[in-house]
Amino acid sequence: AVANIGVVGLAVMGSNLARNLASREGNTVAIYNRSREKTDQLLADHPEAQFVPAYSYEEFAASLAKPRTAIIMVKAGAGTDAVIQALTEVFEPGDIIVDGGNALFTDTIRREKAVRETGINFVGAGISGGEEGALTGPSIMPGGPEESWVTLGPILRSIAAVAPDGEPCVTHVGTDGAGHFVKMVHNGIEYADMQLIAEAYDLIRRGTGKTPAEIADIFAEWNTGELESYLIEITAEVLRQVDAATGRPLVDVILDQAGAKGTGAWTVQTALSLGVPVSGIAEATFARSLSSHPEQREAAASLPGPDEDFRVADADAFIEDVRQALFASKIVAYSQGFDEIRAGAAEYGWNIDLGAISKIWRAGCIIRAQFLNRIADAYAETPDLPVLMTAPYFAEALTSGQAAWRRVVVAATQAGIPSPAFSSSLAYYDGIRADRLPAALVQGQRDFFGAHTYKRIDKPGTFHTLWSGDRTEIEAEDTH
Ligand code: NDP
């Protein structure tokens, strides 16, 4: 038993994670893959790495020092269940099984409960950053029992991405499914961020007639300010790319149908169950779905839009408006995402430090950005902040940006340019800050057709109007 950590599953993610582990001082990495070829390939390609190959689960367990610690990186779903089952048969109480795949957090809760019965610790860890992150340093979001963190913490800290202030991008998020929950919301926020950037590009292009290469310069410029982020940076790269075959901007020859692997949908489904309005993430997810129905788009293409062509009078002023609208909408998207984490923590009994979450997203993952420091500051100042966007820094940005935001949404609407993420974020902003909402009328309607009752602003109690009788009001049982 010479290895201090093991990896099961040596496809692209697992082999890169194993190489990352092996490259750190003091690690010897046991490796196992169901089919032998991947193990032999990894050994042949990287003779320099401290690997201990195993060709059976028994051999794998025997090569690990106790408490045995293994990270599973296999196909999410049935593959993960099969490997967990096999490992629980060869591991002992006190050992640690980590699932680093993209599991749904409710699966992780189920697995943690089952594995715990055997005395083995099970940790669901969200790992973000794709294959490059796995190799050079991902952002890692581990859940699972506190005691496993003693062994696992130092190992994960050694391979995680490092934030600009030197802090590794990993923290024990909470028990059982907390890590995978937070990773799921991370991906949802990523969807919203990407959609907002795409809407900004579309508005600038159609409003000013600038070319993708010119818009790349605008994004590069934005990347030096408060919008600075990996996604803004890569957007400039994509827009600058010229297609070798046609000589056209690559963005103009890519089919405009966006794919998805499901984590955005999970984020939205979970938010619906928790009753948290993540409208920016939802619209971003729906925008991808809308784009991917060519038959419907073709059928609807004959429907009319506005008569006049869209061209803004002052291009520079419009671009600055779009920049401010983008920042304001981004604040809303992150505020909504953190609201979902807050609500999830309350529902599932996790003690999640929201500021620590924003810090471990500062490097390694797709939504990495300076902006996340502001979120950490906000929670450091007020840990129980009810709505993130009301923190002073964000409130100021919204105050100075809201007029531009409204102009952009008006312009987009009049021009017939879809901007679902911009406009739904603005609607959320106006809804959450409103003195009175027409929810009062909805309660009246519910009471009318379903006797669902309502509360009054001027006295306690629950009331019902006898709509089909003499329309007097009676005190009622609270039935919602
Ligand atoms: P895949 O998702 O393509 O899975 C392939 C691996 O799973 C192979 O090693 C395969 O073994 C193994 N496997 C499948 N079924 C079983 C089984 N029943 N028993 C044992 N092993 C099995 O690999 P990736 O490297 O792309 O991804 C690994 C995990 O990481 C996934 O959960 C994925 O969702 C996640 N991921 C995360 C990303 C991120 O950015 N965080 C990016 C990409 C993936 P064999 O060689 O024998 O077929």
Side-chain angles (χ1 to χ4, degrees):
V2 290
N4 64 317
I5 179 82
V7 176
V8 177
L10 302 175
V12 54
M13 288 294 289
S15 55
N16 279 359
L17 201 70
R19 286 174 58 199
N20 184 352
L21 283 160
S23 73
R24 311 290 164 162
E25 185 76 34
N27 283 342
T28 300
V29 187
I31 52 172
Y32 172 77
N33 192 72
R34 177 178 58 178
S35 51
R36 183 184 182 107
E37 296 73 30
K38 286 199 180 72
T39 312
D40 289 340
Q41 190 68 50
L42 184 58
L43 285 173
D45 291 348
H46 298 283
E48 78 289 354
Q50 292 287 326
F51 288 139
V52 182
Y55 296 98
S56 69
Y57 285 108
E58 288 77 13
E59 233 187 295
F60 181 72
S63 67
L64 282 163
K66 295 179 190 176
R68 298 182 184 88
T69 307
I71 304 178
I72 305 174
M73 286 306 280
V74 303
K75 205 166 207 58
T80 305
D81 280 315
V83 175
I84 292 170
Q85 179 58 36
L87 286 178
T88 54
E89 284 164 20
V90 294
F91 275 21
E92 292 170 304
D95 290 348
I96 303 166
I97 298 174
V98 183
D99 174 20
N102 259 337
L104 179 60
F105 76 97
T106 46
D107 284 340
T108 303
I109 292 174
R110 166 179 62 78
R111 288 167 180 151
E112 198 275 334
K113 210 167 154 214
V115 173
R116 198 195 313 148
E117 305 271 296
T118 68
I120 297 168
N121 291 303
F122 182 78
V123 174
I127 300 186
S128 174
E131 42 184 294
E132 199 195 320
L135 182 61
T136 60
S139 167
I140 312 176
M141 293 150 256
E146 188 74 47
E147 68 166 284
S148 60
W149 184 239
V150 178
T151 306
L152 199 55
I155 297 172
L156 296 183
R157 286 171 70 90
S158 77
I159 59 162
V162 179
D165 66 356
E167 275 293 302
C169 291
V170 57
T171 189
H172 183 237
V173 173
T175 53
D176 56 58
H180 276 134
F181 185 96
V182 165
K183 169 62 168 41
M184 172 189 77
V185 176
H186 162 283
N187 285 30
I189 292 174
E190 173 186 314
Y191 275 53
D193 215 337
M194 291 168 69
Q195 174 67 19
L196 289 167
I197 293 170
E199 290 179 15
Y201 148 78
D202 198 27
L203 283 161
I204 292 174
R205 186 155 187 198
R206 292 168 68 174
T208 68
K210 289 196 184 294
T211 64
E214 289 167 332
I215 300 172
D217 291 340
I218 293 168
F219 279 98
E221 162 73 26
W222 287 359
N223 201 38
T224 63
E226 60 198 356
L227 281 168
E228 188 263 287
S229 64
Y230 171 72
L231 281 171
I232 292 280
E233 180 191 328
I234 66 159
T235 300
E237 300 278 328
V238 174
L239 289 175
R240 229 188 291 281
Q241 184 73 13
V242 173
D243 175 45
T246 60
R248 297 170 62 193
L250 179 67
V251 71
D252 287 348
V253 296
I254 297 178
L255 189 67
D256 61 343
Q257 296 174 19
K261 293 211 293 199
T263 44
W266 286 352
T267 312
V268 179
Q269 283 160 349
T270 304
L272 287 171
S273 325
L274 291 169
V276 179
V278 292
S279 46
I281 299 170
E283 288 296 351
T285 309
F286 287 140
R288 291 195 193 185
S289 316
L290 183 150
S291 77
S292 301
H293 288 287
E295 69 299 338
Q296 291 184 328
R297 290 175 60 187
E298 204 174 307
S302 58
L303 296 173
D307 293 333
E308 303 205 349
D309 280 351
F310 181 45
R311 201 37 63 97
V312 299
D314 181 340
D316 289 343
F318 181 69
I319 291 164
E320 173 55 17
D321 276 0
V322 172
R323 189 190 67 78
Q324 292 190 32
L326 176 56
F327 192 51
S329 304
K330 176 172 166 146
I331 291 170
V332 168
Y334 280 68
S335 188
Q336 292 178 337
F338 275 85
D339 198 25
E340 181 164 354
I341 298 175
R342 182 200 52 72
E347 173 72 18
Y348 295 99
W350 300 317
N351 183 14
I352 299 183
D353 175 346
L354 298 175
I357 300 305
S358 70
K359 283 188 172 176
I360 64 168
W361 289 346
R362 290 178 301 165
C365 65
I366 306 297
I367 64 172
R368 58 186 183 256
Q370 279 305 315
F371 172 80
L372 292 157
N373 279 315
R374 303 299 192 165
I375 298 180
D377 293 346
Y379 285 117
E381 203 167 298
T382 317
D384 56 353
L385 196 61
V387 183
L388 175 59
M389 67 183 191
T390 60
Y393 172 80
F394 299 119
E396 250 169 62
L398 293 167
T399 304
S400 64
Q402 61 134 350
W405 195 9
R406 294 182 194 287
R407 284 193 295 273
V408 169
V409 170
V410 168
T413 307
Q414 279 181 338
I417 299 175
S419 56
F422 273 8
S423 49
S424 69
S425 302
L426 181 55
Y428 174 88
Y429 170 83
D430 283 330
I432 205 97
R433 65 174 194 84
D435 270 352
R436 282 282 291 166
L437 288 167
L441 177 57
V442 172
Q443 283 298 81
Q445 294 163 331
R446 294 178 71 238
D447 189 58
F448 187 101
F449 66 69
H452 294 300
T453 75
Y454 50 86
K455 295 192 186 301
R456 297 181 56 99
I457 58 170
D458 53 359
K459 58 180 177 187
T462 301
F463 302 92
H464 168 58
T465 291
L466 299 168
W467 295 104
S468 48
D470 63 1
R471 302 205 166 188
T472 54
E473 182 178 79
I474 59 167
E475 282 231 38
E477 295 265 300
D478 184 355
T479 60
H480 287 289

